[in-house]
Amino acid sequence: MKTLLIMRHGKSSWKHKDLEDHERPLSKRGLRDSRMMADIIQEKELIPQVILASSSVRTTQTAQIFSEETGYQGEIFTLDSLYLAEAEAYLHELKQLSDDYERVMVIGHNPGLESLLQMITGRIEALPTGVVAYVSLPITHWEEINGESVGELVQIWKPKELREVEEEEIPHPKEKEKSKEKEKEKKKKKKN
């Protein structure tokens, strides 16, 4: 079995309209989401052994943030062939990998990543910026990966959904005050 982590780059900035698409950096949200996703991958003990990333600025920044946040020490291959690539380009690069790698991460772009996920799992999923999809593949050699590999989509983490959960779990300061007041009232009633 091999593990593939499919990550779409973090949200990019459109602040500098004169920049070519390849040169666009991450936005503040993209930076924050990339850190959050790195934390999740580390928490789940899914740190890859190698990372293949598109050569665009936003994907290389995403890979760098991932590396810094997790303490990742492996290689990051930045590949022009993955810039705005179709699923076949990802498959081609994955087939070239050494079988010593059990867990691999690709960081790239849509629609190629969505197509790749569909080809190897049969699942149609939206992959918004910053997302990580965890796929288990029934192969022993990377050269076996193809559009007919019936992998299992084990988990998908979407930054927006995770931010919403965090906001629900962290009460607003005014809500904390109300909660404390209710507790005090309950204690007073119990005493009386």
Side-chain angles (χ1 to χ4, degrees), residues 162-176:
L162 294 169
R163 280 193 307 272
E164 289 170 357
V165 168
E166 277 183 2
E167 289 169 5
E168 288 174 9
E169 290 176 354
I170 302 170
H172 191 275
K174 288 183 181 178
E175 292 298 318
K176 281 184 180 179

Side-chain angles (χ1 to χ4, degrees), residues 52 88-99 141-147 149:
L52 306 179
E88 291 77 11
Y90 291 98
L91 291 172
H92 174 77
E93 296 299 342
L94 289 165
K95 285 175 184 263
Q96 311 307 310
L97 291 174
S98 165
D99 291 328
H141 306 286
W142 284 106
E143 66 184 12
E144 297 171 26
I145 193 170
N146 59 47
S149 302

Side-chain angles (χ1 to χ4, degrees), residues 26-186:
L26 292 175
S27 66
K28 288 179 185 175
R29 188 178 97 196
L31 294 166
R32 184 181 68 238
D33 288 351
S34 296
R35 287 186 193 97
M36 178 174 51
M37 300 315 280
D39 290 344
I40 287 170
I41 296 304
Q42 185 170 31
E43 177 186 306
K44 302 293 182 186
E45 298 180 0
L46 290 171
I47 305 296
Q49 295 164 299
V50 68
I51 297 174
L52 306 179
S54 157
S55 61
S56 75
V57 170
R58 58 193 178 271
T59 49
T60 56
Q61 279 186 301
T62 301
Q64 189 62 41
I65 288 168
F66 178 86
S67 180
E68 290 168 5
E69 289 292 311
T70 62
Y72 172 74
Q73 298 293 316
E75 291 190 79
I76 299 173
F77 293 102
T78 54
L79 305 168
D80 289 332
S81 61
L82 297 184
Y83 174 62
L84 302 179
E86 294 298 325
E88 291 77 11
Y90 291 98
L91 291 172
H92 174 77
E93 296 299 342
L94 289 165
K95 285 175 184 263
Q96 311 307 310
L97 291 174
S98 165
D99 291 328
D100 293 338
Y101 298 125
E102 294 297 321
R103 193 175 311 117
V104 173
M105 175 179 269
V106 293
I107 304 175
H109 312 269
N110 274 344
L113 290 179
E114 289 176 340
S115 296
L116 174 65
L117 182 65
Q118 183 179 358
M119 286 175 80
I120 62 175
T121 67
R123 299 268 305 266
I124 299 172
E125 294 282 343
L127 299 180
T129 54
V131 71
V132 175
Y134 166 21
V135 178
S136 178
L137 294 163
I139 59 174
T140 52
H141 306 286
W142 284 106
E143 66 184 12
E144 297 171 26
I145 193 170
N146 59 47
E148 296 170 15
S149 302
V150 186
E152 175 191 359
L153 178 57
V154 178
Q155 181 93 37
I156 190 164
W157 295 282
K158 297 179 180 180
K160 182 179 179 183
E161 292 172 3
L162 294 169
R163 280 193 307 272
E164 289 170 357
V165 168
E166 277 183 2
E167 289 169 5
E168 288 174 9
E169 290 176 354
I170 302 170
H172 191 275
K174 288 183 181 178
E175 292 298 318
K176 281 184 180 179
E177 286 176 31
K178 287 180 185 178
S179 180
K180 284 180 183 178
E181 287 174 20
K182 286 182 182 179
E183 287 298 316
K184 285 180 185 178
E185 287 177 28
K186 284 181 184 178

